[in-house]
Amino acid sequence: MPELARSLVDWLAPQSGERILDLGCGDGVLSRVIAEHGAQVVGFDRSPAFVGAMRENGFEAVQGDGQTLDYDGKFDAVFSNAALHWMRDDPQAVIDGVARALRPGGRFVAEFGAHGNVAPVHDALIAEAQARGRDPSVLDPWFFPKPENYIKQLESAGFAIRREQCFERPTPLPGDMADWLFTLAGPFVQAFDAGVERDAYVAAVRARLEPDLCNARGEWTVPYVRLRFDAHKPV
């Protein structure tokens, strides 16, 4: 996903000397690209492992929840790739926290999953969890908003939208769908005991998806839908 979103850094257009928060930085692939432009990047992620990796690579990094950002006018820009849809409990708190963190005139440039993102996979995870007696509303970690609704949330926090784009990005997988499920659908998968029960759940979800998402050569494609925007805080 970071490789697919390198053009998002072009939307950010980082400048030398700017202080930029990478919200949901992961292991810092795009943080490094931003830093190559001379900007000072601060990583922020919920995962201790990712924060540790950022620090080992020489970046300032903070572990925390993006829904409780505690900065006041500290950054020229906030950047986020493939992370906002994991902050599902209070998306408005994320937006409001970003607005507070930015200096006047600062920008919020991000891309994340929009309505319809990985829809067949999402539906199969939910249906199979229900079939096995789990409550998917408790397990579901994702927030995939309609673009117009999210843009309204940004505007309600005072942002002016310079650019926005919602687009489909069918993405071939480098391996099997089971690998994707174990890696990216953790809250669903980990609801089942490790071993036979968990493997059976993943196999059943995979079987639901194979007719539509796997071609005759055994190659899988996941239908991503992304919302990308460039929003500015008033001066």
PDB file of all heavy atoms in Angstrom, residues 18-49:
ATOM      1  N   GLU A  18       9.770  22.191   6.935  1.00  0.00           N
ATOM      2  CA  GLU A  18       8.432  21.996   7.497  1.00  0.00           C
ATOM      3  C   GLU A  18       8.443  20.881   8.538  1.00  0.00           C
ATOM      4  O   GLU A  18       9.233  19.940   8.466  1.00  0.00           O
ATOM      5  CB  GLU A  18       7.434  21.636   6.396  1.00  0.00           C
ATOM      6  CG  GLU A  18       7.046  22.779   5.491  1.00  0.00           C
ATOM      7  CD  GLU A  18       5.896  22.424   4.576  1.00  0.00           C
ATOM      8  OE1 GLU A  18       5.880  21.297   4.038  1.00  0.00           O
ATOM      9  OE2 GLU A  18       5.010  23.275   4.384  1.00  0.00           O
ATOM     10  N   ARG A  19       7.536  21.008   9.490  1.00  0.00           N
ATOM     11  CA  ARG A  19       7.337  19.971  10.507  1.00  0.00           C
ATOM     12  C   ARG A  19       6.018  19.276  10.166  1.00  0.00           C
ATOM     13  O   ARG A  19       4.955  19.921  10.122  1.00  0.00           O
ATOM     14  CB  ARG A  19       7.294  20.593  11.900  1.00  0.00           C
ATOM     15  CG  ARG A  19       7.192  19.587  13.049  1.00  0.00           C
ATOM     16  CD  ARG A  19       7.377  20.301  14.381  1.00  0.00           C
ATOM     17  NE  ARG A  19       7.029  19.470  15.520  1.00  0.00           N
ATOM     18  CZ  ARG A  19       7.874  18.606  16.102  1.00  0.00           C
ATOM     19  NH1 ARG A  19       9.099  18.486  15.615  1.00  0.00           N
ATOM     20  NH2 ARG A  19       7.494  17.871  17.140  1.00  0.00           N
ATOM     21  N   ILE A  20       6.096  17.952   9.906  1.00  0.00           N
ATOM     22  CA  ILE A  20       4.946  17.221   9.385  1.00  0.00           C
ATOM     23  C   ILE A  20       4.677  15.993  10.254  1.00  0.00           C
ATOM     24  O   ILE A  20       5.587  15.210  10.557  1.00  0.00           O
ATOM     25  CB  ILE A  20       5.198  16.787   7.927  1.00  0.00           C
ATOM     26  CG1 ILE A  20       5.359  18.041   7.042  1.00  0.00           C
ATOM     27  CG2 ILE A  20       4.065  15.909   7.409  1.00  0.00           C
ATOM     28  CD1 ILE A  20       5.725  17.738   5.601  1.00  0.00           C
ATOM     29  N   LEU A  21       3.420  15.815  10.636  1.00  0.00           N
ATOM     30  CA  LEU A  21       2.992  14.649  11.403  1.00  0.00           C
ATOM     31  C   LEU A  21       2.494  13.585  10.438  1.00  0.00           C
ATOM     32  O   LEU A  21       1.600  13.838   9.626  1.00  0.00           O
ATOM     33  CB  LEU A  21       1.880  15.031  12.373  1.00  0.00           C
ATOM     34  CG  LEU A  21       1.348  13.905  13.270  1.00  0.00           C
ATOM     35  CD1 LEU A  21       2.394  13.509  14.307  1.00  0.00           C
ATOM     36  CD2 LEU A  21       0.050  14.326  13.964  1.00  0.00           C
ATOM     37  N   ASP A  22       3.082  12.386  10.514  1.00  0.00           N
ATOM     38  CA  ASP A  22       2.626  11.252   9.717  1.00  0.00           C
ATOM     39  C   ASP A  22       1.717  10.416  10.614  1.00  0.00           C
ATOM     40  O   ASP A  22       2.170   9.646  11.459  1.00  0.00           O
ATOM     41  CB  ASP A  22       3.820  10.443   9.224  1.00  0.00           C
ATOM     42  CG  ASP A  22       3.422   9.345   8.238  1.00  0.00           C
ATOM     43  OD1 ASP A  22       2.207   9.085   8.102  1.00  0.00           O
ATOM     44  OD2 ASP A  22       4.313   8.754   7.612  1.00  0.00           O
ATOM     45  N   LEU A  23       0.425  10.590  10.429  1.00  0.00           N
ATOM     46  CA  LEU A  23      -0.587   9.984  11.292  1.00  0.00           C
ATOM     47  C   LEU A  23      -0.908   8.563  10.807  1.00  0.00           C
ATOM     48  O   LEU A  23      -1.439   8.379   9.719  1.00  0.00           O
ATOM     49  CB  LEU A  23      -1.852  10.850  11.281  1.00  0.00           C
ATOM     50  CG  LEU A  23      -3.051  10.384  12.093  1.00  0.00           C
ATOM     51  CD1 LEU A  23      -2.701  10.215  13.560  1.00  0.00           C
ATOM     52  CD2 LEU A  23      -4.212  11.366  11.932  1.00  0.00           C
ATOM     53  N   GLY A  24      -0.575   7.578  11.636  1.00  0.00           N
ATOM     54  CA  GLY A  24      -0.675   6.184  11.208  1.00  0.00           C
ATOM     55  C   GLY A  24       0.494   5.853  10.312  1.00  0.00           C
ATOM     56  O   GLY A  24       0.338   5.327   9.211  1.00  0.00           O
ATOM     57  N   CYS A  25       1.694   6.128  10.790  1.00  0.00           N
ATOM     58  CA  CYS A  25       2.907   6.091   9.973  1.00  0.00           C
ATOM     59  C   CYS A  25       3.334   4.693   9.566  1.00  0.00           C
ATOM     60  O   CYS A  25       4.117   4.531   8.623  1.00  0.00           O
ATOM     61  CB  CYS A  25       4.058   6.786  10.696  1.00  0.00           C
ATOM     62  SG  CYS A  25       4.461   6.042  12.307  1.00  0.00           S
ATOM     63  N   GLY A  26       2.850   3.640  10.270  1.00  0.00           N
ATOM     64  CA  GLY A  26       3.337   2.305   9.980  1.00  0.00           C
ATOM     65  C   GLY A  26       4.833   2.225  10.218  1.00  0.00           C
ATOM     66  O   GLY A  26       5.364   2.847  11.155  1.00  0.00           O
ATOM     67  N   ASP A  27       5.528   1.512   9.344  1.00  0.00           N
ATOM     68  CA  ASP A  27       6.976   1.375   9.535  1.00  0.00           C
ATOM     69  C   ASP A  27       7.764   2.507   8.902  1.00  0.00           C
ATOM     70  O   ASP A  27       8.992   2.478   8.882  1.00  0.00           O
ATOM     71  CB  ASP A  27       7.468   0.022   9.022  1.00  0.00           C
ATOM     72  CG  ASP A  27       7.209  -0.168   7.527  1.00  0.00           C
ATOM     73  OD1 ASP A  27       6.674   0.754   6.885  1.00  0.00           O
ATOM     74  OD2 ASP A  27       7.545  -1.241   6.998  1.00  0.00           O
ATOM     75  N   GLY A  28       7.061   3.520   8.359  1.00  0.00           N
ATOM     76  CA  GLY A  28       7.736   4.740   7.940  1.00  0.00           C
ATOM     77  C   GLY A  28       8.212   4.790   6.504  1.00  0.00           C
ATOM     78  O   GLY A  28       9.043   5.642   6.166  1.00  0.00           O
ATOM     79  N   VAL A  29       7.666   3.947   5.625  1.00  0.00           N
ATOM     80  CA  VAL A  29       8.085   3.969   4.221  1.00  0.00           C
ATOM     81  C   VAL A  29       7.854   5.349   3.614  1.00  0.00           C
ATOM     82  O   VAL A  29       8.743   5.928   2.986  1.00  0.00           O
ATOM     83  CB  VAL A  29       7.342   2.890   3.400  1.00  0.00           C
ATOM     84  CG1 VAL A  29       7.614   3.064   1.916  1.00  0.00           C
ATOM     85  CG2 VAL A  29       7.762   1.496   3.849  1.00  0.00           C
ATOM     86  N   LEU A  30       6.656   5.905   3.815  1.00  0.00           N
ATOM     87  CA  LEU A  30       6.361   7.218   3.244  1.00  0.00           C
ATOM     88  C   LEU A  30       6.954   8.346   4.080  1.00  0.00           C
ATOM     89  O   LEU A  30       7.239   9.421   3.547  1.00  0.00           O
ATOM     90  CB  LEU A  30       4.853   7.388   3.079  1.00  0.00           C
ATOM     91  CG  LEU A  30       4.229   6.473   2.024  1.00  0.00           C
ATOM     92  CD1 LEU A  30       2.715   6.669   1.958  1.00  0.00           C
ATOM     93  CD2 LEU A  30       4.834   6.704   0.642  1.00  0.00           C
ATOM     94  N   SER A  31       7.165   8.113   5.358  1.00  0.00           N
ATOM     95  CA  SER A  31       7.850   9.110   6.187  1.00  0.00           C
ATOM     96  C   SER A  31       9.231   9.405   5.623  1.00  0.00           C
ATOM     97  O   SER A  31       9.679  10.557   5.575  1.00  0.00           O
ATOM     98  CB  SER A  31       7.979   8.628   7.631  1.00  0.00           C
ATOM     99  OG  SER A  31       6.739   8.448   8.250  1.00  0.00           O
ATOM    100  N   ARG A  32       9.898   8.341   5.190  1.00  0.00           N
ATOM    101  CA  ARG A  32      11.238   8.519   4.622  1.00  0.00           C
ATOM    102  C   ARG A  32      11.190   9.306   3.320  1.00  0.00           C
ATOM    103  O   ARG A  32      12.068  10.136   3.055  1.00  0.00           O
ATOM    104  CB  ARG A  32      11.896   7.149   4.415  1.00  0.00           C
ATOM    105  CG  ARG A  32      12.270   6.453   5.717  1.00  0.00           C
ATOM    106  CD  ARG A  32      13.132   5.243   5.498  1.00  0.00           C
ATOM    107  NE  ARG A  32      12.388   4.123   4.954  1.00  0.00           N
ATOM    108  CZ  ARG A  32      11.689   3.255   5.692  1.00  0.00           C
ATOM    109  NH1 ARG A  32      11.622   3.400   7.012  1.00  0.00           N
ATOM    110  NH2 ARG A  32      11.057   2.247   5.133  1.00  0.00           N
ATOM    111  N   VAL A  33      10.174   9.062   2.500  1.00  0.00           N
ATOM    112  CA  VAL A  33      10.025   9.815   1.250  1.00  0.00           C
ATOM    113  C   VAL A  33       9.807  11.293   1.550  1.00  0.00           C
ATOM    114  O   VAL A  33      10.397  12.175   0.913  1.00  0.00           O
ATOM    115  CB  VAL A  33       8.860   9.246   0.412  1.00  0.00           C
ATOM    116  CG1 VAL A  33       8.642  10.094  -0.842  1.00  0.00           C
ATOM    117  CG2 VAL A  33       9.123   7.794   0.034  1.00  0.00           C
ATOM    118  N   ILE A  34       8.971  11.592   2.538  1.00  0.00           N
ATOM    119  CA  ILE A  34       8.712  12.975   2.922  1.00  0.00           C
ATOM    120  C   ILE A  34       9.983  13.629   3.440  1.00  0.00           C
ATOM    121  O   ILE A  34      10.309  14.771   3.094  1.00  0.00           O
ATOM    122  CB  ILE A  34       7.591  13.031   3.980  1.00  0.00           C
ATOM    123  CG1 ILE A  34       6.263  12.537   3.376  1.00  0.00           C
ATOM    124  CG2 ILE A  34       7.427  14.447   4.529  1.00  0.00           C
ATOM    125  CD1 ILE A  34       5.181  12.293   4.402  1.00  0.00           C
ATOM    126  N   ALA A  35      10.726  12.905   4.264  1.00  0.00           N
ATOM    127  CA  ALA A  35      11.953  13.457   4.851  1.00  0.00           C
ATOM    128  C   ALA A  35      13.008  13.758   3.793  1.00  0.00           C
ATOM    129  O   ALA A  35      13.840  14.670   3.980  1.00  0.00           O
ATOM    130  CB  ALA A  35      12.510  12.490   5.890  1.00  0.00           C
ATOM    131  N   GLU A  36      12.964  13.033   2.683  1.00  0.00           N
ATOM    132  CA  GLU A  36      13.920  13.292   1.604  1.00  0.00           C
ATOM    133  C   GLU A  36      13.760  14.687   1.015  1.00  0.00           C
ATOM    134  O   GLU A  36      14.677  15.210   0.379  1.00  0.00           O
ATOM    135  CB  GLU A  36      13.764  12.236   0.510  1.00  0.00           C
ATOM    136  CG  GLU A  36      14.276  10.856   0.920  1.00  0.00           C
ATOM    137  CD  GLU A  36      13.907   9.773  -0.082  1.00  0.00           C
ATOM    138  OE1 GLU A  36      13.251  10.105  -1.102  1.00  0.00           O
ATOM    139  OE2 GLU A  36      14.260   8.608   0.165  1.00  0.00           O
ATOM    140  N   HIS A  37      12.605  15.299   1.237  1.00  0.00           N
ATOM    141  CA  HIS A  37      12.356  16.666   0.757  1.00  0.00           C
ATOM    142  C   HIS A  37      12.865  17.717   1.745  1.00  0.00           C
ATOM    143  O   HIS A  37      12.699  18.914   1.515  1.00  0.00           O
ATOM    144  CB  HIS A  37      10.862  16.873   0.507  1.00  0.00           C
ATOM    145  CG  HIS A  37      10.318  16.075  -0.643  1.00  0.00           C
ATOM    146  ND1 HIS A  37      10.134  16.608  -1.897  1.00  0.00           N
ATOM    147  CD2 HIS A  37       9.936  14.773  -0.722  1.00  0.00           C
ATOM    148  CE1 HIS A  37       9.649  15.680  -2.708  1.00  0.00           C
ATOM    149  NE2 HIS A  37       9.518  14.558  -2.013  1.00  0.00           N
ATOM    150  N   GLY A  38      13.433  17.267   2.857  1.00  0.00           N
ATOM    151  CA  GLY A  38      13.983  18.194   3.840  1.00  0.00           C
ATOM    152  C   GLY A  38      13.038  18.539   4.970  1.00  0.00           C
ATOM    153  O   GLY A  38      13.368  19.371   5.825  1.00  0.00           O
ATOM    154  N   ALA A  39      11.860  17.903   5.001  1.00  0.00           N
ATOM    155  CA  ALA A  39      10.911  18.159   6.084  1.00  0.00           C
ATOM    156  C   ALA A  39      11.291  17.349   7.324  1.00  0.00           C
ATOM    157  O   ALA A  39      11.925  16.291   7.234  1.00  0.00           O
ATOM    158  CB  ALA A  39       9.495  17.797   5.653  1.00  0.00           C
ATOM    159  N   GLN A  40      10.896  17.853   8.491  1.00  0.00           N
ATOM    160  CA  GLN A  40      11.064  17.116   9.746  1.00  0.00           C
ATOM    161  C   GLN A  40       9.781  16.330   9.996  1.00  0.00           C
ATOM    162  O   GLN A  40       8.715  16.914  10.177  1.00  0.00           O
ATOM    163  CB  GLN A  40      11.324  18.071  10.903  1.00  0.00           C
ATOM    164  CG  GLN A  40      11.482  17.367  12.240  1.00  0.00           C
ATOM    165  CD  GLN A  40      11.557  18.336  13.402  1.00  0.00           C
ATOM    166  OE1 GLN A  40      11.545  19.544  13.213  1.00  0.00           O
ATOM    167  NE2 GLN A  40      11.613  17.800  14.612  1.00  0.00           N
ATOM    168  N   VAL A  41       9.881  15.009   9.986  1.00  0.00           N
ATOM    169  CA  VAL A  41       8.705  14.154  10.107  1.00  0.00           C
ATOM    170  C   VAL A  41       8.622  13.568  11.516  1.00  0.00           C
ATOM    171  O   VAL A  41       9.605  13.058  12.045  1.00  0.00           O
ATOM    172  CB  VAL A  41       8.746  13.013   9.078  1.00  0.00           C
ATOM    173  CG1 VAL A  41       7.488  12.149   9.185  1.00  0.00           C
ATOM    174  CG2 VAL A  41       8.879  13.570   7.666  1.00  0.00           C
ATOM    175  N   VAL A  42       7.434  13.650  12.091  1.00  0.00           N
ATOM    176  CA  VAL A  42       7.140  13.006  13.373  1.00  0.00           C
ATOM    177  C   VAL A  42       6.153  11.880  13.091  1.00  0.00           C
ATOM    178  O   VAL A  42       5.064  12.116  12.559  1.00  0.00           O
ATOM    179  CB  VAL A  42       6.544  13.996  14.385  1.00  0.00           C
ATOM    180  CG1 VAL A  42       6.178  13.275  15.684  1.00  0.00           C
ATOM    181  CG2 VAL A  42       7.503  15.142  14.643  1.00  0.00           C
ATOM    182  N   GLY A  43       6.530  10.655  13.415  1.00  0.00           N
ATOM    183  CA  GLY A  43       5.641   9.528  13.222  1.00  0.00           C
ATOM    184  C   GLY A  43       4.675   9.375  14.387  1.00  0.00           C
ATOM    185  O   GLY A  43       5.015   9.672  15.537  1.00  0.00           O
ATOM    186  N   PHE A  44       3.487   8.905  14.087  1.00  0.00           N
ATOM    187  CA  PHE A  44       2.467   8.679  15.121  1.00  0.00           C
ATOM    188  C   PHE A  44       1.722   7.410  14.745  1.00  0.00           C
ATOM    189  O   PHE A  44       1.176   7.301  13.651  1.00  0.00           O
ATOM    190  CB  PHE A  44       1.507   9.869  15.185  1.00  0.00           C
ATOM    191  CG  PHE A  44       0.566   9.850  16.363  1.00  0.00           C
ATOM    192  CD1 PHE A  44       0.816  10.625  17.484  1.00  0.00           C
ATOM    193  CD2 PHE A  44      -0.576   9.054  16.353  1.00  0.00           C
ATOM    194  CE1 PHE A  44      -0.048  10.614  18.572  1.00  0.00           C
ATOM    195  CE2 PHE A  44      -1.444   9.031  17.433  1.00  0.00           C
ATOM    196  CZ  PHE A  44      -1.178   9.816  18.545  1.00  0.00           C
ATOM    197  N   ASP A  45       1.700   6.438  15.646  1.00  0.00           N
ATOM    198  CA  ASP A  45       1.037   5.177  15.344  1.00  0.00           C
ATOM    199  C   ASP A  45       0.609   4.491  16.635  1.00  0.00           C
ATOM    200  O   ASP A  45       1.223   4.677  17.687  1.00  0.00           O
ATOM    201  CB  ASP A  45       1.970   4.254  14.556  1.00  0.00           C
ATOM    202  CG  ASP A  45       1.217   3.229  13.735  1.00  0.00           C
ATOM    203  OD1 ASP A  45       0.739   2.232  14.305  1.00  0.00           O
ATOM    204  OD2 ASP A  45       1.081   3.435  12.512  1.00  0.00           O
ATOM    205  N   ARG A  46      -0.426   3.684  16.525  1.00  0.00           N
ATOM    206  CA  ARG A  46      -0.923   2.922  17.681  1.00  0.00           C
ATOM    207  C   ARG A  46      -0.022   1.745  18.016  1.00  0.00           C
ATOM    208  O   ARG A  46       0.005   1.272  19.154  1.00  0.00           O
ATOM    209  CB  ARG A  46      -2.341   2.429  17.365  1.00  0.00           C
ATOM    210  CG  ARG A  46      -3.034   1.692  18.497  1.00  0.00           C
ATOM    211  CD  ARG A  46      -4.470   1.387  18.142  1.00  0.00           C
ATOM    212  NE  ARG A  46      -4.579   0.603  16.915  1.00  0.00           N
ATOM    213  CZ  ARG A  46      -5.729   0.272  16.344  1.00  0.00           C
ATOM    214  NH1 ARG A  46      -6.870   0.693  16.857  1.00  0.00           N
ATOM    215  NH2 ARG A  46      -5.741  -0.454  15.244  1.00  0.00           N
ATOM    216  N   SER A  47       0.727   1.263  17.023  1.00  0.00           N
ATOM    217  CA  SER A  47       1.532   0.057  17.202  1.00  0.00           C
ATOM    218  C   SER A  47       2.888   0.357  17.824  1.00  0.00           C
ATOM    219  O   SER A  47       3.689   1.105  17.251  1.00  0.00           O
ATOM    220  CB  SER A  47       1.749  -0.624  15.845  1.00  0.00           C
ATOM    221  OG  SER A  47       2.795  -1.562  15.900  1.00  0.00           O
ATOM    222  N   PRO A  48       3.211  -0.250  18.971  1.00  0.00           N
ATOM    223  CA  PRO A  48       4.547  -0.063  19.557  1.00  0.00           C
ATOM    224  C   PRO A  48       5.659  -0.540  18.627  1.00  0.00           C
ATOM    225  O   PRO A  48       6.738   0.062  18.589  1.00  0.00           O
ATOM    226  CB  PRO A  48       4.498  -0.902  20.840  1.00  0.00           C
ATOM    227  CG  PRO A  48       3.054  -1.085  21.143  1.00  0.00           C
ATOM    228  CD  PRO A  48       2.348  -1.091  19.827  1.00  0.00           C
ATOM    229  N   ALA A  49       5.390  -1.602  17.861  1.00  0.00           N
ATOM    230  CA  ALA A  49       6.423  -2.118  16.957  1.00  0.00           C
ATOM    231  C   ALA A  49       6.745  -1.121  15.861  1.00  0.00           C
ATOM    232  O   ALA A  49       7.923  -0.898  15.527  1.00  0.00           O
ATOM    233  CB  ALA A  49       5.954  -3.444  16.352  1.00  0.00           C
TER     234      ALA A  49
END
